[in-house]
Amino acid sequence: MNNLLFIFIFFLILAALLLALNILLAPHKPDFAKVSQYECGFAPIPGQTRTIFQIHFMIVALLFLIFDLEILLLFPLAVSLYQISIFGFTVGIIFFIVLTVGFVLEIGSGAITLTNLNENNNTSTTNQRRTHP
């Protein structure tokens, strides 16, 4: 049998075996921290995976991923700056300027602005207290 095929089959079997052992042997003891609200503010609902959520979190994650990968493309430029001469440096600077302009446009369009739901709720309850004696 081909060595590469053997490695793929071996690791698939190993992954399935380790996953099965984890399901069988792992303790399931939910405590207060595990069943409390997530960092994004959503309360966990046992047995329900489909729920309505705000798209702001997804947009920020996608923007972070895009800019993180583009910044990662600048790393080889920084490592080989002595070998690429002035042409490579110029291409890197143009790339960085395009990246910065895109980032400024996204901030200007409000794509990265997040709303804090707790502040909105506190403001509305404060306003209600002021209007109702």
Side-chain angles (χ1 to χ4, degrees):
M1 184 175 359
N2 190 358
N3 288 338
L4 191 60
L5 181 63
F6 176 74
I7 289 173
F8 281 125
I9 292 172
F10 174 73
F11 281 118
L12 283 175
I13 292 172
L14 181 66
L17 179 68
L18 291 176
L19 184 62
L21 283 174
N22 184 24
I23 291 171
L24 292 175
L25 301 178
H28 181 68
K29 299 176 184 174
D31 58 0
F32 177 74
K34 290 181 181 178
V35 295
S36 63
Q37 286 187 345
Y38 299 121
E39 290 177 358
C40 61
F42 300 131
I45 301 171
Q48 181 179 358
T49 58
R50 296 179 186 211
T51 181
I52 298 172
F53 66 95
Q54 292 182 357
I55 196 69
H56 296 292
F57 301 108
M58 184 67 71
I59 291 172
V60 170
L62 288 173
L63 292 177
F64 174 77
L65 181 65
I66 290 169
F67 282 109
D68 193 38
L69 291 176
E70 289 179 352
I71 292 292
L72 185 67
L73 291 174
L74 290 174
F75 182 72
L77 175 78
V79 170
S80 63
L81 198 54
Y82 287 114
Q83 288 84 22
I84 59 175
S85 73
I86 197 74
F87 175 73
F89 180 71
T90 307
V91 169
I93 292 296
I94 291 171
F95 178 75
F96 188 71
I97 289 171
V98 169
L99 180 69
T100 305
V101 167
F103 189 64
V104 168
L105 287 175
E106 286 179 0
I107 290 175
S109 69
I112 302 179
T113 305
L114 290 177
T115 58
N116 190 352
L117 297 177
N118 293 333
E119 287 180 6
N120 292 341
N121 291 338
N122 292 339
T123 305
S124 64
T125 56
T126 307
N127 291 339
Q128 288 174 356
R129 288 181 191 160
R130 289 182 188 164
T131 57
H132 301 298

XYZ file of all heavy atoms in Angstrom, residues 25-112:
692
model
N -15.244 9.074 27.928
C -14.545 9.236 29.200
C -14.570 10.640 29.784
O -14.252 10.821 30.960
C -13.082 8.800 29.033
C -12.866 7.356 28.584
C -11.388 7.071 28.403
C -13.486 6.387 29.586
N -14.931 11.642 29.016
C -14.895 13.013 29.518
C -16.038 13.262 30.493
O -17.171 12.853 30.255
C -14.986 14.001 28.353
N -15.743 13.915 31.619
C -16.820 14.211 32.566
C -17.706 15.339 32.043
O -17.253 16.251 31.365
C -16.073 14.659 33.829
C -14.762 15.159 33.338
C -14.438 14.346 32.103
N -18.969 15.243 32.351
C -19.928 16.269 31.933
C -20.512 16.877 33.199
O -21.498 16.402 33.753
C -21.037 15.662 31.074
C -22.034 16.675 30.612
N -21.723 17.655 29.705
C -23.336 16.879 30.954
C -22.789 18.416 29.500
N -23.783 17.957 30.247
N -19.840 17.925 33.695
C -20.266 18.590 34.929
C -20.385 20.088 34.663
O -19.449 20.841 34.909
C -19.253 18.348 36.045
C -19.077 16.894 36.408
C -17.998 16.733 37.446
C -17.759 15.269 37.717
N -16.632 15.059 38.619
N -21.519 20.534 34.149
C -21.653 21.975 33.905
C -21.735 22.744 35.220
O -22.461 22.363 36.127
C -22.954 22.088 33.113
C -23.718 20.866 33.451
C -22.712 19.796 33.766
N -20.957 23.801 35.341
C -21.013 24.664 36.510
C -21.545 26.036 36.091
O -21.966 26.229 34.956
C -19.655 24.765 37.186
C -18.573 25.278 36.252
O -18.892 25.556 35.086
O -17.420 25.399 36.690
N -21.516 26.979 37.017
C -22.088 28.298 36.733
C -21.387 28.992 35.576
O -22.022 29.617 34.736
C -22.032 29.177 37.987
C -22.537 30.561 37.748
C -23.896 30.798 37.595
C -21.664 31.621 37.639
C -24.370 32.072 37.359
C -22.131 32.908 37.400
C -23.490 33.126 37.267
N -20.061 28.888 35.489
C -19.314 29.566 34.422
C -19.634 28.984 33.055
O -19.634 29.692 32.054
C -17.814 29.463 34.694
N -19.914 27.691 33.008
C -20.196 27.061 31.718
C -21.593 27.371 31.204
O -21.814 27.398 29.998
C -20.031 25.541 31.823
C -18.599 25.098 31.982
C -18.517 23.592 32.041
C -17.105 23.121 32.234
N -17.034 21.658 32.348
N -22.544 27.581 32.090
C -23.915 27.817 31.651
C -24.294 29.297 31.709
O -25.426 29.655 31.433
C -24.927 26.993 32.480
C -24.721 25.517 32.254
C -24.853 27.348 33.949
N -23.338 30.171 32.051
C -23.623 31.607 32.067
C -23.507 32.174 30.663
O -23.153 31.471 29.718
C -22.665 32.319 33.020
O -21.345 32.180 32.553
N -23.756 33.479 30.529
C -23.740 34.107 29.214
C -22.338 34.081 28.623
O -21.341 34.148 29.332
C -24.207 35.550 29.311
C -25.680 35.681 29.526
C -26.120 37.129 29.448
O -25.304 38.023 29.499
N -27.413 37.345 29.323
N -22.298 34.000 27.292
C -21.031 34.051 26.579
C -20.502 35.472 26.562
O -21.180 36.407 26.980
C -21.208 33.548 25.144
C -21.680 32.119 25.050
C -22.867 31.805 24.397
C -20.943 31.093 25.599
C -23.294 30.499 24.295
C -21.370 29.785 25.518
C -22.537 29.494 24.864
O -22.960 28.215 24.770
N -19.279 35.644 26.054
C -18.691 36.974 25.982
C -19.484 37.897 25.064
O -19.476 39.108 25.233
C -17.254 36.889 25.479
C -16.322 36.264 26.479
C -14.913 36.133 25.937
O -14.690 36.489 24.770
O -14.047 35.679 26.680
N -20.168 37.338 24.093
C -20.945 38.161 23.169
C -22.290 38.555 23.756
O -23.002 39.346 23.162
C -21.138 37.424 21.846
S -22.021 35.871 22.014
N -22.659 38.030 24.923
C -23.895 38.424 25.572
C -25.056 37.479 25.369
O -26.148 37.729 25.860
N -24.862 36.390 24.648
C -25.939 35.446 24.405
C -25.978 34.410 25.519
O -24.947 33.882 25.922
C -25.761 34.722 23.076
C -25.741 35.663 21.900
C -24.750 35.566 20.951
C -26.696 36.634 21.747
C -24.716 36.418 19.883
C -26.679 37.493 20.674
C -25.684 37.388 19.741
N -27.154 34.111 25.980
C -27.316 33.071 26.979
C -27.346 31.711 26.285
O -28.008 31.559 25.257
C -28.599 33.286 27.769
N -26.628 30.719 26.810
C -26.668 29.393 26.194
C -28.020 28.729 26.414
O -28.581 28.795 27.499
C -25.560 28.632 26.907
C -25.394 29.320 28.211
C -25.749 30.762 27.969
N -28.542 28.122 25.376
C -29.818 27.422 25.454
C -29.523 25.945 25.216
O -29.138 25.561 24.117
C -30.808 27.947 24.405
C -31.030 29.444 24.619
C -32.118 27.191 24.478
C -31.820 30.106 23.532
N -29.681 25.112 26.237
C -29.355 23.685 26.066
C -30.225 23.025 25.007
O -31.439 23.204 24.987
C -29.635 23.086 27.440
C -29.683 24.249 28.378
C -30.106 25.433 27.574
N -29.591 22.318 24.101
C -30.305 21.577 23.084
C -30.726 22.398 21.882
O -31.309 21.864 20.956
N -30.452 23.678 21.879
C -30.855 24.521 20.752
C -29.613 25.188 20.180
O -28.928 25.933 20.854
C -31.849 25.575 21.195
C -32.308 26.445 20.043
C -33.311 27.487 20.496
O -33.672 27.532 21.643
N -33.754 28.310 19.579
N -29.337 24.910 18.925
C -28.159 25.497 18.292
C -28.511 26.608 17.325
O -27.650 27.344 16.897
C -27.371 24.425 17.521
O -28.237 23.831 16.556
C -26.827 23.383 18.463
N -29.760 26.722 16.960
C -30.159 27.762 16.016
C -30.899 28.853 16.766
O -31.959 28.632 17.328
C -31.056 27.194 14.924
C -30.331 26.193 14.085
C -31.236 25.644 13.040
N -30.526 24.571 12.348
C -30.720 24.289 11.097
N -31.582 24.947 10.392
N -30.051 23.314 10.526
N -30.323 30.023 16.756
C -30.934 31.156 17.422
C -30.607 32.417 16.645
O -29.654 32.452 15.874
C -30.462 31.272 18.878
O -31.102 32.377 19.490
C -28.967 31.444 18.956
N -31.376 33.445 16.839
C -31.147 34.706 16.149
C -29.976 35.413 16.824
O -29.920 35.502 18.051
C -32.408 35.582 16.207
C -33.555 34.870 15.493
C -32.148 36.946 15.613
C -34.889 35.564 15.648
N -29.040 35.901 16.043
C -27.919 36.650 16.588
C -27.628 37.830 15.690
O -28.004 37.853 14.522
C -26.677 35.772 16.754
C -26.096 35.292 15.458
C -25.057 35.980 14.852
C -26.583 34.157 14.843
C -24.527 35.552 13.657
C -26.061 33.716 13.648
C -25.029 34.406 13.057
N -26.950 38.814 16.253
C -26.617 40.000 15.481
C -25.450 39.690 14.548
O -24.517 38.988 14.918
C -26.243 41.142 16.404
C -27.410 41.632 17.211
C -27.001 42.803 18.079
O -25.853 43.188 18.103
N -27.963 43.349 18.788
N -25.492 40.260 13.378
C -24.486 39.995 12.374
C -23.208 40.793 12.624
O -22.178 40.529 12.023
C -25.062 40.276 10.961
C -24.211 39.646 9.868
C -25.198 41.756 10.740
C -24.247 38.172 9.842
N -23.245 41.751 13.551
C -22.065 42.572 13.831
C -20.855 41.717 14.220
O -19.736 42.024 13.832
C -22.350 43.577 14.952
C -23.396 44.565 14.605
N -23.214 45.535 13.644
C -24.656 44.744 15.077
C -24.297 46.267 13.560
N -25.194 45.799 14.413
N -21.082 40.679 14.982
C -19.973 39.838 15.407
C -19.326 39.147 14.214
O -18.103 39.030 14.139
C -20.455 38.801 16.431
C -21.051 39.421 17.655
C -22.406 39.360 17.882
C -20.240 40.074 18.577
C -22.953 39.933 19.006
C -20.772 40.651 19.694
C -22.132 40.582 19.920
N -20.129 38.695 13.285
C -19.602 38.029 12.093
C -18.840 39.012 11.210
O -17.795 38.678 10.655
C -20.740 37.379 11.313
C -20.290 36.585 10.117
S -19.342 35.124 10.545
C -20.606 34.117 11.237
N -19.348 40.219 11.070
C -18.670 41.219 10.240
C -17.306 41.560 10.816
O -16.308 41.625 10.092
C -19.550 42.477 10.091
C -20.769 42.156 9.233
C -18.764 43.630 9.493
C -21.780 43.265 9.178
N -17.244 41.756 12.129
C -15.960 42.073 12.757
C -14.994 40.904 12.605
O -13.804 41.094 12.326
C -16.158 42.447 14.239
C -14.830 42.535 14.967
C -16.891 43.759 14.338
N -15.480 39.694 12.742
C -14.612 38.524 12.587
C -14.074 38.424 11.164
O -12.895 38.137 10.953
C -15.376 37.255 12.959
N -14.919 38.651 10.174
C -14.468 38.596 8.781
C -13.473 39.704 8.467
O -12.463 39.469 7.787
C -15.661 38.674 7.837
C -16.539 37.432 7.772
C -17.768 37.706 6.930
C -15.766 36.270 7.223
N -13.742 40.906 8.959
C -12.807 42.005 8.729
C -11.473 41.735 9.405
O -10.409 42.018 8.848
C -13.401 43.320 9.221
C -14.598 43.841 8.446
C -15.138 45.103 9.084
C -14.234 44.078 6.999
N -11.519 41.185 10.609
C -10.275 40.845 11.300
C -9.500 39.802 10.509
O -8.282 39.906 10.352
C -10.562 40.328 12.704
C -9.341 39.828 13.400
C -8.420 40.709 13.935
C -9.095 38.462 13.488
C -7.286 40.256 14.560
C -7.963 37.990 14.114
C -7.056 38.888 14.654
N -10.195 38.804 10.010
C -9.530 37.750 9.256
C -8.884 38.302 7.991
O -7.726 37.990 7.680
C -10.535 36.651 8.896
C -9.981 35.461 8.134
C -8.997 34.701 9.005
C -11.100 34.561 7.688
N -9.592 39.148 7.269
C -9.048 39.719 6.038
C -7.810 40.542 6.324
O -6.764 40.372 5.698
C -10.132 40.553 5.317
C -11.213 39.644 4.751
C -9.504 41.403 4.223
C -12.431 40.375 4.272
N -7.888 41.443 7.307
C -6.741 42.305 7.587
C -5.604 41.536 8.236
O -4.434 41.854 8.021
C -7.159 43.491 8.454
C -7.849 44.548 7.661
C -9.196 44.775 7.804
C -7.152 45.309 6.748
C -9.834 45.737 7.061
C -7.778 46.278 5.992
C -9.122 46.493 6.156
N -5.920 40.525 9.006
C -4.869 39.713 9.605
C -4.087 38.976 8.524
O -2.853 38.911 8.570
C -5.488 38.731 10.598
C -4.444 38.076 11.471
O -3.486 38.771 11.845
O -4.601 36.884 11.773
N -4.783 38.425 7.535
C -4.085 37.719 6.458
C -3.302 38.674 5.568
O -2.220 38.334 5.082
C -5.084 36.920 5.624
C -5.697 35.719 6.338
C -6.742 35.055 5.463
C -4.634 34.730 6.746
N -3.815 39.881 5.366
C -3.074 40.836 4.549
C -1.824 41.324 5.267
O -0.780 41.529 4.653
C -3.981 42.005 4.154
C -5.020 41.588 3.140
C -5.948 42.710 2.752
O -5.890 43.792 3.375
O -6.745 42.520 1.822
N -1.918 41.500 6.564
C -0.722 41.873 7.327
C 0.276 40.722 7.310
O 1.490 40.927 7.244
C -1.104 42.254 8.770
C -1.905 43.541 8.785
C 0.108 42.379 9.661
C -1.125 44.763 8.380
N -0.222 39.490 7.346
C 0.658 38.333 7.290
C 1.426 38.279 5.981
O 2.560 37.793 5.936
C -0.158 37.049 7.477
C 0.604 35.748 7.565
C 1.428 35.734 8.831
C -0.341 34.580 7.550
N 0.857 38.809 4.905
C 1.557 38.843 3.623
C 2.727 39.828 3.631
O 3.618 39.737 2.779
C 0.584 39.199 2.499
C -0.454 38.137 2.171
C -1.435 38.672 1.142
C 0.207 36.883 1.660
N 2.725 40.757 4.578
C 3.848 41.697 4.674
C 5.058 41.090 5.383
O 6.151 41.623 5.300
C 3.407 42.972 5.405
C 2.448 43.861 4.631
C 1.978 45.001 5.510
C 3.102 44.393 3.376
N 4.884 39.983 6.084
C 5.993 39.374 6.808
C 7.125 38.907 5.891
O 8.298 39.188 6.173
C 5.483 38.214 7.672
C 6.564 37.582 8.484
C 7.111 38.246 9.568
C 7.050 36.326 8.159
C 8.113 37.674 10.316
C 8.057 35.746 8.895
C 8.586 36.419 9.978
N 6.846 38.202 4.780
C 7.954 37.829 3.889
C 8.680 39.047 3.319
O 9.890 38.997 3.093
C 7.287 37.028 2.766
C 6.010 36.565 3.328
C 5.598 37.585 4.328
N 7.970 40.122 3.112
C 8.608 41.349 2.648
C 9.603 41.857 3.684
O 10.722 42.245 3.344
C 7.545 42.416 2.367
C 8.074 43.793 1.995
C 8.512 43.791 0.543
C 7.052 44.844 2.266
N 9.209 41.848 4.929
C 10.094 42.327 5.985
C 11.316 41.431 6.158
O 12.412 41.912 6.431
C 9.328 42.426 7.297
N 11.142 40.139 5.972
C 12.256 39.205 6.148
C 13.266 39.336 5.012
O 14.474 39.296 5.230
C 11.721 37.756 6.253
C 12.841 36.756 6.190
C 10.928 37.593 7.527
N 12.779 39.531 3.799
C 13.675 39.566 2.641
C 13.895 40.974 2.102
O 14.120 41.157 0.919
C 13.111 38.681 1.532
O 11.873 39.203 1.106
N 13.829 41.971 2.967
C 13.921 43.355 2.509
C 15.286 43.680 1.909
O 15.384 44.470 0.971
C 13.611 44.303 3.664
C 13.241 45.732 3.297
C 12.088 45.758 2.315
C 12.869 46.514 4.538
N 16.344 43.043 2.384
C 17.679 43.314 1.832
C 17.853 42.727 0.433
O 18.619 43.242 -0.359
C 18.766 42.757 2.757
C 18.926 43.576 4.010
C 18.607 43.037 5.246
C 19.391 44.878 3.960
C 18.747 43.775 6.398
C 19.529 45.633 5.113
C 19.217 45.081 6.329
O 19.351 45.814 7.462
N 17.133 41.657 0.112
C 17.291 41.006 -1.176
C 16.366 41.558 -2.264
O 16.622 41.349 -3.449
C 17.045 39.490 -1.064
C 18.137 38.737 -0.352
C 17.980 38.769 1.156
O 16.903 38.994 1.647
N 19.072 38.560 1.869
N 15.311 42.231 -1.928
C 14.322 42.610 -2.937
C 14.549 43.996 -3.525
O 13.837 44.390 -4.435
C 12.892 42.516 -2.380
C 12.722 43.417 -1.164
C 12.528 41.096 -2.080
C 11.318 43.467 -0.650
N 15.474 44.721 -3.007
C 15.883 46.043 -3.491
C 14.741 47.057 -3.386
O 13.741 46.839 -2.709
C 16.426 45.970 -4.923
O 15.395 45.753 -5.846
N 14.865 48.135 -4.105
C 13.914 49.239 -4.008
C 12.584 48.908 -4.687
O 11.533 49.393 -4.266
C 14.538 50.527 -4.583
C 13.763 51.775 -4.115
C 14.567 50.490 -6.083
C 14.021 52.095 -2.688
N 12.598 48.040 -5.702
C 11.351 47.663 -6.374
C 10.433 46.907 -5.413
O 9.245 47.207 -5.307
C 11.634 46.812 -7.608
C 10.391 46.309 -8.273
C 9.584 47.166 -9.006
C 10.006 44.980 -8.149
C 8.428 46.715 -9.605
C 8.851 44.514 -8.739
C 8.065 45.383 -9.473
N 10.963 45.932 -4.706
C 10.161 45.174 -3.745
C 9.660 46.044 -2.610
O 8.530 45.895 -2.137
N 10.515 46.969 -2.162
C 10.101 47.885 -1.107
C 8.952 48.771 -1.575
O 7.984 49.002 -0.844
C 11.290 48.736 -0.664
C 10.958 49.706 0.420
C 10.706 49.265 1.711
C 10.890 51.057 0.152
C 10.399 50.158 2.709
C 10.582 51.961 1.144
C 10.332 51.510 2.434
N 9.020 49.241 -2.816
C 7.966 50.087 -3.378
C 6.648 49.307 -3.494
O 5.577 49.826 -3.163
C 8.379 50.626 -4.761
O 9.641 51.260 -4.648
C 7.358 51.599 -5.297
N 6.726 48.077 -3.949
C 5.516 47.245 -4.042
C 4.924 47.024 -2.648
O 3.704 47.082 -2.461
C 5.845 45.913 -4.739
C 4.693 44.935 -4.611
C 6.175 46.143 -6.194
N 5.778 46.795 -1.658
C 5.301 46.617 -0.285
C 4.636 47.862 0.259
O 3.598 47.788 0.925
N 5.206 49.019 -0.023
C 4.616 50.275 0.438
C 3.265 50.517 -0.235
O 2.293 50.932 0.412
C 5.583 51.456 0.185
C 6.802 51.332 1.086
C 4.900 52.798 0.378
C 6.496 51.423 2.565
N 3.170 50.242 -1.532
C 1.891 50.392 -2.236
C 0.845 49.446 -1.646
O -0.307 49.827 -1.420
C 2.080 50.162 -3.754
C 2.888 51.309 -4.360
C 0.734 50.020 -4.461
C 3.319 51.066 -5.799
N 1.235 48.208 -1.364
C 0.336 47.243 -0.749
C -0.138 47.749 0.618
O -1.327 47.671 0.950
C 1.042 45.893 -0.611
C 0.219 44.834 0.051
C -0.807 44.215 -0.628
C 0.472 44.458 1.365
C -1.568 43.232 -0.024
C -0.280 43.488 1.973
C -1.301 42.874 1.279
N 0.768 48.279 1.405
C 0.421 48.786 2.727
C -0.496 50.007 2.630
O -1.422 50.153 3.428
C 1.692 49.129 3.509
C 1.431 49.462 4.935
C 1.059 48.478 5.832
C 1.543 50.765 5.384
C 0.811 48.784 7.159
C 1.299 51.079 6.703
C 0.927 50.086 7.593
N -0.286 50.865 1.648
C -1.150 52.035 1.462
C -2.562 51.599 1.063
O -3.559 52.117 1.588
C -0.535 53.005 0.425
C 0.697 53.681 1.023
C -1.547 54.037 -0.041
C 1.504 54.484 0.031
N -2.666 50.638 0.157
C -3.986 50.121 -0.240
C -4.684 49.486 0.956
O -5.891 49.676 1.170
C -3.847 49.125 -1.413
C -5.142 48.383 -1.661
C -3.392 49.846 -2.662
N -3.950 48.765 1.764
C -4.499 48.147 2.966
C -5.003 49.210 3.939
O -6.103 49.101 4.489
C -3.432 47.278 3.635
C -3.801 46.549 4.907
C -4.800 45.467 4.574
C -2.576 45.964 5.544
N -4.230 50.268 4.128
C -4.623 51.336 5.040
C -5.845 52.094 4.519
O -6.754 52.417 5.290
C -3.447 52.305 5.250
O -2.317 51.549 5.699
C -3.777 53.370 6.259
N -5.887 52.365 3.229
C -7.046 53.054 2.652
C -8.311 52.197 2.818
O -9.381 52.709 3.175
C -6.796 53.398 1.165
C -8.069 53.824 0.460
C -5.742 54.475 1.047
N -8.198 50.897 2.599
C -9.349 50.014 2.799
C -9.820 50.001 4.237
O -11.024 50.014 4.514
N -8.888 50.002 5.164
C -9.237 50.010 6.583
C -9.928 51.315 6.964
O -10.927 51.317 7.685
C -7.980 49.786 7.418
C -8.253 49.566 8.867
C -8.969 48.466 9.301
C -7.806 50.473 9.808
C -9.222 48.258 10.638
C -8.052 50.275 11.146
C -8.769 49.172 11.566
N -9.413 52.441 6.470
C -10.027 53.742 6.753
C -11.433 53.811 6.148
O -12.365 54.328 6.784
C -9.125 54.884 6.233
C -9.851 56.210 6.245
C -7.851 54.961 7.043
N -11.615 53.280 4.955
C -12.946 53.273 4.339
C -13.928 52.419 5.134
O -15.105 52.767 5.260
C -12.865 52.783 2.904
C -12.243 53.759 1.899
C -12.104 53.096 0.540
C -13.087 55.005 1.791
N -13.469 51.303 5.676
C -14.355 50.463 6.482
C -14.735 51.143 7.780
O -15.868 51.045 8.230
C -13.706 49.111 6.754
C -13.699 48.235 5.546
C -13.037 46.911 5.800
O -12.584 46.670 6.934
O -12.965 46.114 4.862
N -13.795 51.835 8.395
C -14.125 52.578 9.608
C -15.095 53.705 9.269
O -16.066 53.945 9.989
C -12.846 53.127 10.273
C -12.036 51.981 10.863
C -13.181 54.139 11.355
C -10.708 52.396 11.429
N -14.859 54.397 8.157
C -15.735 55.497 7.750
C -17.141 55.044 7.404
O -18.107 55.768 7.623
N -17.277 53.851 6.854
C -18.611 53.364 6.496
C -19.376 52.824 7.696
O -20.563 52.545 7.595
C -18.501 52.277 5.426
O -17.922 51.110 5.978
N -18.697 52.667 8.829
C -19.368 52.180 10.038
C -19.463 50.676 10.119
O -20.254 50.151 10.894
N -18.672 49.955 9.347
C -18.736 48.498 9.364
C -18.167 47.918 10.645
O -18.534 46.823 11.045
C -17.983 47.921 8.163
N -17.294 48.645 11.313
C -16.652 48.117 12.513
C -17.326 48.633 13.780
O -17.027 48.206 14.859
C -15.141 48.449 12.494
C -14.526 47.850 11.239
C -14.410 47.919 13.690
C -13.073 48.123 11.077
